[in-house]
């Protein structure tokens, strides 16, 4: 199934992603979890194409690159900024958690993954191609284990890097 999904032409993937968003988000307000990265600009653009009701939310980590901050401010003025209670470096010192690692990724849970938990629908830019774990774990429609069964949509889960870049260039989407 994965090989068939990832092998589809980009126009079919776009059509399916827009259709998925229209079908599952009809009459509901969703959140687009926006990081300012290439996958985020794609899911935000797909949400606009689908004509759904959504809030794009950027959860700052406090260690975000300045060029990313400038890019979001300039090109995504509609994005809602969520600032954490405590700077990540201060949090590391005060809690004794230390630096996040590939194995102990406390920072994602603390600073990113809780974005939009108050919404019934969360749209994320996760792609299976990014890691073996994501390939085995994510589908286009997922039920949150953490948030009372809310729905998490990953409309580009079967897109390749090439698909993402072709879409960005084809739609003339500015990127960081």
């Amino acid at each position: 199934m994965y090989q068939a999904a990832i092998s589809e032409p980009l126009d079919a993937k776009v059509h399916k992603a827009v259709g998925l968003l229209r079908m599952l988000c009809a009459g509901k307000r969703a959140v687009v979890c926006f990081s300012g990265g290439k996958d985020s600009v794609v899911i935000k653009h797909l949400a606009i194409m689908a004509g759904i009701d959504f809030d794009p939310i950027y959860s700052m980590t406090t260690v975000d690159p300045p060029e990313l901050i400038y890019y979001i401010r300039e090109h995504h003025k509609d994005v809602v900024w969520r600032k954490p209670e405590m700077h990540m470096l201060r949090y590391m010192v005060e809690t004794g958690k230390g630096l996040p690692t590939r194995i102990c990724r406390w920072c994602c849970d603390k600073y990113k993954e809780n974005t939009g938990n108050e919404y019934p629908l969360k749209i994320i830019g996760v792609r299976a191609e990014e890691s073996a774990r994501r390939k085995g774990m994510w589908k286009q429609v997922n039920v949150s284990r953490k948030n009372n069964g809310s729905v998490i949509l990953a409309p580009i889960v079967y897109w390749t890097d090439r698909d993402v870049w072709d879409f960005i260039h084809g739609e003339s989407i500015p990127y960081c």
Side-chain angles (χ1 to χ4, degrees):
M1 180 179 130
Y2 170 76
Q3 201 55 44
I6 207 150
S7 300
E8 287 187 323
L10 179 57
D11 60 336
K13 291 177 183 180
V14 171
H15 180 74
K16 284 183 178 181
V18 168
L20 177 78
L21 293 172
R22 284 182 180 153
M23 180 178 64
L24 294 178
C25 298
K28 298 176 188 147
R29 190 153 188 90
V31 61
V32 168
C33 298
F34 189 82
S35 71
K38 67 185 185 326
D39 299 331
S40 288
V41 300
V42 168
I43 62 169
K44 182 177 176 227
H45 196 81
L46 289 169
I48 292 167
M49 290 173 69
I52 64 169
D53 190 16
F54 72 95
D55 293 319
I57 298 178
Y58 172 63
S59 291
M60 293 182 69
T61 64
T62 68
V63 292
D64 311 278
E67 60 272 14
L68 179 68
I69 301 298
Y70 300 139
Y71 162 76
I72 295 171
R73 285 185 182 148
E74 181 179 344
H75 296 284
H76 297 279
K77 295 180 188 327
D78 61 332
V79 168
V80 175
W81 292 60
R82 291 232 175 125
K83 296 179 182 176
E85 297 171 12
M86 187 182 296
H87 193 286
M88 186 184 292
L89 298 175
R90 182 175 168 201
Y91 183 81
M92 287 190 300
V93 170
E94 289 189 9
T95 62
K97 289 196 182 264
L99 291 170
T101 67
R102 184 178 60 81
I103 296 166
C104 182
R105 297 182 55 191
W106 61 263
C107 59
C108 292
D109 186 49
K110 173 89 176 136
Y111 288 89
K112 290 283 187 185
E113 292 171 359
N114 291 317
T115 300
N117 281 351
E118 66 275 19
Y119 290 78
L121 293 163
K122 185 187 288 197
I123 303 166
I124 62 173
V126 165
R127 290 184 304 109
E129 187 181 65
E130 294 174 306
S131 74
R133 182 172 182 260
R134 287 182 176 185
K135 181 180 175 184
M137 187 171 131
W138 289 99
K139 305 294 179 245
Q140 284 188 310
V141 180
N142 305 272
V143 177
S144 173
R145 294 172 296 187
K146 295 181 181 178
N147 192 27
N148 297 328
S150 64
V151 176
I152 302 172
L153 303 176
I156 64 170
V157 71
Y158 300 120
W159 288 32
T160 64
D161 280 337
R162 167 66 75 196
D163 293 330
V164 169
W165 286 116
D166 286 350
F167 184 77
I168 287 170
H169 295 304
E171 295 290 319
S172 300
I173 302 169
Y175 56 90
C176 183

